[in-house]
Amino acid sequence: MTEVTLFLLVGIIAVASAVAMLLSPNAIHSALFLILVMGCIAFLFLMLDAAFLFLVQIVVYAGAIMVLFLFVIMLLGAERLSVGSGEFRWMTPVAMVLALLFLAATGLALGQGREGGQPLQGGSPLLRLAHYAPDLGPVDIYANNELIAENVTYGQSAGHLELAPGEYNLALFGAGTQNALVAQTLILEPGSTGTALAYSDDDTPMIAFVPDNLTSVEQDRAGRVAFFNAYTPSQTGVRLVDLGSDLDPNDDRVLLESVPVGTLSPAADFTQTSDIATWAFVDEGGRVLFRLRDPETFSVRTNTLQLLV
């Protein structure tokens, strides 16, 4: 919501400055208003994380080029020229009307688009298929007896597939065979997004549906982290803990509370500066099961939903 508010505020300032540039009888004042418009455009680039374009807009356009404009205006004394009633004076009110129509169209598009980061209602559901059942081997995946993914190996996933809303019998077969290994009934609502996760519970293959949380994060430049507990040896649950410094055994901090096997943890938002190298999955007995030391694999990124298994 903050980004939308900033966009509308900066957009209004940019349009108002452009109108003032057209209406100002003084050429120098018009050039200064144009500099303000370019500054607003640079700010919009910054909101899109386009730092290079932001710097180019400030240094080249709002800086060098506009300094050249001001130099030429003052050199020729154009700021002292009176503005006559030329035949093209009708362009100013037309430009103002077009700018207002553009703002109205933009506001209408924002109002009817996505609100709060949630998907549009009534769209086709998206389903991702993740294979984390080590005893199954490569599998073919069927939905209502229709092949939707084949030869998916352990540790791989089939990207988000667009399906029609409704009830599905999701079945995993041995790759290239008609040997059904596990099946699960899923109901996909319109506009929903989730992951069908295959895992093993005491050597018994299971399929769990994990919905994706696509609501906007509360913090700027933050990502959302959740994990699904498929670690069957620990029947009492697993939690995500920040172990802190190895020199201080008392600085551990629980990030996500313990969840039992076959359960998705509540999601939490973390900033990009979070040091994941000190995070670890810990069972209820305090035993460290796995540490997230690899920065290439585990990191918090803006607008990225991570499912840790």
Side-chain angles (χ1 to χ4, degrees):
M1 189 63 184
T2 303
E3 292 183 355
V4 175
T5 303
L6 283 175
F7 171 76
L8 292 177
L9 180 61
V10 175
I12 291 173
I13 294 175
V15 173
S17 301
V19 172
M21 179 196 68
L22 294 174
L23 297 179
S24 177
N26 189 293
I28 291 183
H29 294 169
S30 295
L32 294 176
F33 281 122
L34 183 57
I35 292 176
L36 182 56
V37 173
M38 292 183 175
C40 292
I41 295 174
F43 186 83
L44 294 177
F45 281 135
L46 191 61
M47 289 180 59
L48 295 173
D49 291 332
F52 176 75
L53 294 178
F54 165 78
L55 291 176
V56 169
Q57 186 73 26
I58 291 294
V59 175
V60 178
Y61 290 97
I65 292 179
M66 289 312 302
V67 167
L68 179 61
F69 279 12
L70 288 172
F71 175 77
V72 172
I73 290 172
M74 291 186 291
L75 181 65
L76 299 178
E79 75 279 6
R80 296 190 297 270
L81 296 178
S82 60
V83 180
S85 55
E87 57 179 327
F88 298 109
R89 295 299 294 173
W90 56 270
M91 286 187 175
T92 299
V94 170
M96 293 178 60
V97 172
L98 291 176
L100 292 176
L101 289 176
F102 174 75
L103 280 180
T106 303
L108 185 63
L110 290 174
Q112 295 182 350
R114 300 187 178 190
E115 181 178 354
Q118 299 188 13
L120 295 173
Q121 297 298 321
S124 299
L126 298 177
L127 182 66
R128 179 174 58 175
L129 307 161
H131 179 10
Y132 286 95
D135 301 326
L136 296 185
V139 298
D140 295 335
I141 304 174
Y142 288 78
N144 291 345
N145 298 321
E146 180 181 350
L147 179 65
I148 58 175
E150 58 182 339
N151 199 29
V152 180
T153 60
Y154 173 74
Q156 290 186 338
S157 64
H160 286 93
L161 306 175
E162 185 174 341
L163 302 173
E167 182 176 316
Y168 287 88
N169 179 33
L170 194 68
L172 272 60
F173 287 74
T177 70
Q178 294 299 316
N179 179 26
L181 304 174
V182 60
Q184 178 70 38
T185 300
L186 301 178
I187 298 178
L188 301 180
E189 300 292 340
S192 63
T193 303
T195 300
L197 179 66
Y199 69 102
S200 295
D201 186 356
D202 291 334
D203 297 329
T204 301
M206 306 282 290
I207 298 179
F209 179 72
V210 181
D212 291 342
N213 186 344
L214 300 181
T215 57
S216 299
V217 297
E218 295 293 333
Q219 309 174 66
D220 291 333
R221 300 190 180 280
R224 177 166 291 124
V225 176
F227 73 92
F228 181 87
N229 181 13
Y231 183 68
T232 54
S234 178
Q235 296 295 332
T236 56
V238 171
R239 55 187 173 176
L240 183 63
V241 178
D242 185 353
L243 299 178
S245 173
D246 294 335
L247 302 178
D248 186 357
N250 299 318
D251 64 346
D252 295 357
R253 181 168 60 94
V254 177
L255 302 175
L256 293 173
E257 294 293 342
S258 177
V259 294
V261 177
T263 306
L264 178 69
S265 73
D269 298 341
F270 298 93
T271 62
Q272 285 182 314
T273 57
S274 301
D275 185 10
I276 293 186
T278 60
W279 292 9
F281 290 109
V282 180
D283 63 13
E284 288 298 317
R287 186 163 60 100
V288 176
L289 305 176
F290 183 78
R291 298 193 65 167
L292 311 182
R293 295 181 181 271
D294 185 3
E296 297 296 329
T297 305
F298 304 106
S299 62
V300 178
R301 299 184 181 92
T302 304
N303 299 325
T304 300
L305 177 69
Q306 294 187 351
L307 181 66
L308 307 182
V309 181

